[in-house]
Amino acid sequence: MVVLILKLYVILVVLVMSVYAIRHYWLTVNRLRGEQRLYYQDLVDDDLPRITVLIPMHNEELVARSSIEAILRCEYPRELMQIIPINDHSDDRTGEILDELAAEHEIVTPLHRHDGLRGKPAALNDALEISRSNVIINFDADYLPNRGALRDLALSFKDPEVGAVMGRVVPINTEANLLTRLLDLERSGGYQVDQQARHNLKLMPQYGGTVGAYRRDLVQAFGGFDPTVLAEDTDLTYRLYISGWKIVYANRVECYEEVPETWQVRSRQIRRWSRGHNSVMFRHFLPLLKSPYLNRREKLDGMLLLLIYLVPVFLLTGIVDSILLFFMGEMQIIESVFVFLFVASYNSFGNFAPFYQIGTASLLDGVSHRVRLLPFLMFYFLLNIWTISSGFFMAVLDKLQSRTAEWEKTQRFRKEDQA
Amino acid sequence: MSRRMMLAGSVLVLILAAVSLTALAQGLIEMRSPEVPPAQDGGWLLISAFVLLMVLPFVPGLLEVAVPRDRYPLPIDLEYTKDPRYMGRSARRLLLGGLGDALRDPGRHKVTLSKPEVLEIHDGLNLADNGRLDLLTWVRGDAVFGKGARCEEDIHVDGGVTFGDESFLRSVVAQGDIELGKGVHVVRWIDSDGDIVIGRDSTLGISAASGGSLRLGDGSKFRRLWGSPILTEGHDGAPPKPQVPSAVPRHDATGKTDIDDHVTRHDGDLLLDLVTNDPVRPLVVRGDCEIGDGVVFRAPIKVYGGIKLGKGAVVLGDIFAENDVVLGEGSVVEGNVFTQSAVWLGRGARVGSPARRTSVVARKNVTLGGAAAVYGYVLTDGAGEVACGER
């Protein structure tokens, strides 16, 4: 009986992995050969919406000034613009820098938080209360947008069905080491191919929490961001889709970000993402399937996206399962020439699906030698299997014990002179 | 040196790792099946090939790590903003930036713009019929090009410029008005601070942008247009009359309607031809939509299918559609028209207004009928054409 269960589980893992491999290829082929949907960046309209830019900051003295100055350089009518940098319990010079900027620029209105809940969702909720606009644009503290970014993001809300929009992030510290270069490749695949293809296919592009925008009244109608959720962006993504709104992806709205430079910091970051994403998965899986506003394709894509941080858990447990079966001498699971052909095909193509996606993104981005680093992503993926799995089990414990995860800020690496 | 050492070290580590893995695998096999004989000489050959195949994919990457050739961030143009007149403005900037004051006298000068070129400067220019210009040209006054003129390089004109019928030009940027005769072929773009008049059956390259009005003759072909207004043949140039909003029309042809605080969503096709007093909300139609003759709708509309505006119908908001957008005779859209398919503006149709410049954006074709007007921007990824005949 135990052997039968172990064998069935191996088959399940193989099927799950195959579904995701097919998804990778489908999206990649669409990006390469399919029709590319227009985004709203080509609209020219004298009637722009009033916007508020929110920048949550916790101990960001190294980057606070440069980030806000980058936003002030953006081309957008000043009378329609408000910038709220949120000083969230900082104990460095962040608050002082923000007050200096507020004195220099009337549209900069800092929000200082010294009590109440810590963390991005709680900080955003407080800022939404004092915002004077319905279109809210979010940037992280280390982001440097191009001059047209605000206009390109805000224009998408001309579409009455758009609840949120997501731009593209590009790592700026790629030179630092092999890890940052691998993260650069991974980001390319995620945005240039994955997000854009889902936009093309009218599936479910994801709101990523930064370089993005949303309607304030919708978020407030949902009761604001849930401060107990670590992935408030994924939570908003699903709330919007389930209640009939759309999210669009703006590949042209590019923005530099800083990625982790040490494996420890990256591990903590991705563990946090996994924990947050999986808690969102527990919350929205059934409502997603029941939503009357989504068609079958959207539901399938939404389900695959919700389960994405569960795949490494499947893989890890599948490997352990197959090792057990190997030592039990029970590796003969299904005997058929078709199974052999399937396994051979998967080994030839399926295993390489993510690499194919990232390679395609590199091709579209016009890069040259960095694509040679692709094989090294294997080691990075191995790390992800472990950290994402541990994040999943933490999310399970959160659910079982009804405990609240604490927000953890990602360490910055920018030097003062670079800021 | 340190990079080479790092490279050599990395290769060594990988080889050792691969050998260890192989040995481990071999050991596991022997442990599970003691009858399998230990590797003989041929076996070591296989193991060596295995190790080589394990290491080989990493060699190009190791070289890139050791001697980085592509380590910088992906380039983002941090200065990028949407500017419908980007072509003309950047060409003008490039020209003025590449010239010293000493090089502004009439005659030929060697200049370096994006590449080394010869620039010919004229105080004024009058090129005879079938004349030819092969050099980058700057005219500091007005310029007149006769019928059948051919200009192989960019032309900058400080005054106005006229091209005769059947002329061929690469690009022209003028501070005064531009007038193109019939059947003129533009390879790249034209840009004017003043007004532009395009003759019949002309081809306008990738962009025609005007700081004033842009008038298009029947049969003109285009990709991008910018002007306030853009008028097609037959339009008298009179400013539009302000629209008086009527009550909100709504009539369900098929399907069901779902209204929340933000939008009205309708599943199925919808015909708007009745006038009611419902509150105005943006409308999302999951099907096709038709707006009846003379009906005025005051909010934006998003349509999953196509949308057709009847004769004299008015939409005071934007239109977003997945399929074709057809604006009937004399119909008006005060906001933008955006579709993943094609747009057709009927005779006398209008998009935008002098008070609000907007856009017509289509992934497929854009067809402008006679006496049509667009205040602002027209862009198509397909083919753009002025067709004044009856459709």
Side-chain angles (χ1 to χ4, degrees), chain A residues 70 73-76 145-151, chain B residues 77-81:
Chain A
R73 286 183 65 250
C74 287
E75 193 180 78
Y76 206 85
N146 65 34
R147 287 186 62 221
L150 299 184
R151 192 201 77 98
Chain B
D77 181 1
L78 290 173
E79 296 303 313
Y80 167 79
T81 58

Side-chain angles (χ1 to χ4, degrees), chain B residues 70-343:
Chain B
D70 189 18
R71 64 183 167 177
Y72 296 111
L74 286 174
I76 295 178
D77 181 1
L78 290 173
E79 296 303 313
Y80 167 79
T81 58
K82 177 78 182 173
D83 180 4
R85 293 188 60 197
Y86 172 79
M87 304 281 188
R89 286 183 175 135
S90 66
R92 195 76 180 174
R93 259 197 312 272
L94 194 64
L95 178 75
L96 295 177
L99 291 179
D101 288 341
L103 291 180
R104 300 193 179 191
D105 297 328
R108 290 188 179 185
H109 307 276
K110 284 185 182 169
V111 295
T112 303
L113 303 179
S114 53
K115 61 181 193 233
E117 290 185 78
V118 176
L119 169 71
E120 188 160 34
I121 299 180
H122 304 265
D123 277 333
L125 182 65
N126 196 335
L127 196 69
D129 288 355
N130 300 314
R132 184 181 173 106
L133 275 184
D134 290 324
L135 297 176
L136 174 67
T137 302
W138 182 9
V139 183
R140 301 195 306 188
D142 293 333
V144 177
F145 293 82
K147 192 175 171 183
R150 190 172 181 90
C151 306
E152 299 286 353
E153 290 291 340
D154 297 352
I155 298 165
H156 296 255
V157 183
D158 288 353
V161 58
T162 304
F163 284 86
D165 297 348
E166 310 296 333
S167 297
F168 175 97
L169 63 126
R170 185 179 147 89
S171 68
V172 58
V173 51
Q175 290 179 302
D177 299 339
I178 295 177
E179 187 174 346
L180 305 187
K182 290 178 191 166
V184 172
H185 185 86
V186 178
V187 177
R188 293 179 68 204
W189 46 264
I190 58 173
D191 181 278
S192 160
D193 289 343
D195 298 325
I196 297 179
V197 177
I198 309 291
R200 285 186 168 191
D201 300 318
S202 293
T203 306
L204 297 174
I206 54 171
S207 170
S210 160
S213 66
L214 171 58
R215 283 179 167 277
L216 300 164
D218 190 16
S220 302
K221 292 180 176 59
F222 57 85
R223 293 284 301 279
R224 283 181 221 168
L225 304 170
W226 170 250
S228 189
I230 299 163
L231 304 172
T232 59
E233 191 172 310
H235 199 288
D236 60 8
K241 294 172 191 159
Q243 298 298 325
V244 182
S246 72
V248 181
R250 210 184 77 239
H251 173 72
D252 300 351
T254 59
K256 65 183 177 72
T257 303
D258 171 23
I259 301 172
D260 64 22
D261 291 341
H262 300 90
V263 294
T264 299
R265 291 189 175 88
H266 181 85
D267 281 328
D269 297 340
L270 182 65
L271 170 67
L272 295 167
D273 65 351
L274 294 177
V275 176
T276 72
N277 287 316
D278 286 357
V280 177
R281 285 188 198 85
L283 174 65
V284 176
V285 181
R286 295 167 188 244
D288 293 328
C289 181
E290 185 173 344
I291 298 180
D293 293 352
V295 169
V296 179
F297 188 76
R298 283 189 282 170
I301 302 178
K302 165 86 175 273
V303 189
Y304 280 34
I307 181 168
K308 186 177 176 186
L309 270 65
K311 209 182 262 191
V314 176
V315 173
L316 295 178
D318 307 296
I319 291 177
F320 292 88
E322 290 294 322
N323 291 338
D324 293 353
V325 177
V326 178
L327 306 188
E329 191 177 323
S331 60
V332 173
V333 179
E334 292 278 354
N336 299 284
V337 175
F338 183 97
T339 174
Q340 303 290 343
S341 188
V343 175

Side-chain angles (χ1 to χ4, degrees), chain B residues 60-74:
Chain B
L62 285 169
L63 288 171
E64 176 58 22
V65 171
V67 189
R69 296 170 69 182
D70 189 18
R71 64 183 167 177
Y72 296 111
L74 286 174

Side-chain angles (χ1 to χ4, degrees), chain A residues 402-414:
Chain A
S402 302
R403 68 183 186 188
T404 305
E406 279 189 20
W407 182 262
E408 188 185 346
K409 176 181 179 290
T410 303
Q411 184 187 330
R412 301 268 180 260
F413 293 88
R414 197 182 298 182

Side-chain angles (χ1 to χ4, degrees), chain A residues 382-412:
Chain A
L382 286 175
L383 174 84
N384 280 357
I385 289 175
W386 180 251
T387 50
I388 290 174
S389 297
S390 63
F392 168 76
F393 291 115
M394 288 165 94
V396 172
L397 286 177
D398 291 343
K399 182 79 179 169
L400 292 177
Q401 299 176 352
S402 302
R403 68 183 186 188
T404 305
E406 279 189 20
W407 182 262
E408 188 185 346
K409 176 181 179 290
T410 303
Q411 184 187 330
R412 301 268 180 260

